[in-house]
Amino acid sequence: MSNSLKIAIISDTHIRPNFDDGQQAFPSDAIANDKAKQSVNAIIKNNPDVVFHLGDVVHPIPSLETHLPAIEIAKDIFSAIKQPIYFVPGNHDIGDKQGTSNAPESTHKLLTSFEENWGQLYQSFDIGDFHFIIINS
């Protein structure tokens, strides 16, 4: 077995619907999807063994009607990655602790929705000589 592993890490892509949903706080928000596509292209070019997305896959928080359409766009963007990809949730993906942000309180329903779209919230696995643990904290 090899004792090396090439890992790609991506975070806070804040993918959004393909229309102005009124949630653009910064000019860069308008190009978030294009930036995510560029990041995916860089990942593909560098051919890692595994990819981790560390949260805030989409921008619309779960209480907005644009959340699910943004998830579908994100799935399409990330489908170009052929290596294993693991997603860890952010507050834009599953909500937050009560009173800590403008995201809704995280609920069992939101956690289940994340798992249905992106994978298990808690898991461990081996890749080569390396053991990984994903924990939704």
Side-chain angles (χ1 to χ4, degrees), residues 80-102:
I81 296 173
K82 301 308 177 201
Q83 293 84 349
I85 182 168
Y86 297 90
F87 293 86
V88 178
N91 67 320
H92 284 246
D93 304 312
I94 61 166
D96 215 332
K97 295 178 183 141
Q98 188 175 16
T100 59
S101 74
N102 66 343

Side-chain angles (χ1 to χ4, degrees), residues 44-117:
I44 292 167
K45 179 180 177 184
N46 285 284
N47 195 29
D49 298 303
V50 62
V51 180
F52 293 96
H53 192 300
L54 301 183
D56 287 354
V57 180
V58 299
H59 181 77
I61 57 176
S63 58
L64 296 175
E65 63 186 38
T66 52
H67 185 76
L68 291 177
I71 286 174
E72 293 307 314
I73 292 167
K75 284 180 179 180
D76 183 56
I77 291 170
F78 289 115
S79 70
I81 296 173
K82 301 308 177 201
Q83 293 84 349
I85 182 168
Y86 297 90
F87 293 86
V88 178
N91 67 320
H92 284 246
D93 304 312
I94 61 166
D96 215 332
K97 295 178 183 141
Q98 188 175 16
T100 59
S101 74
N102 66 343
E105 183 176 356
S106 187
T107 64
H108 179 72
K109 180 180 177 183
L110 294 176
L111 297 173
T112 300
S113 175
F114 181 88
E115 286 188 319
E116 289 170 353
N117 288 293

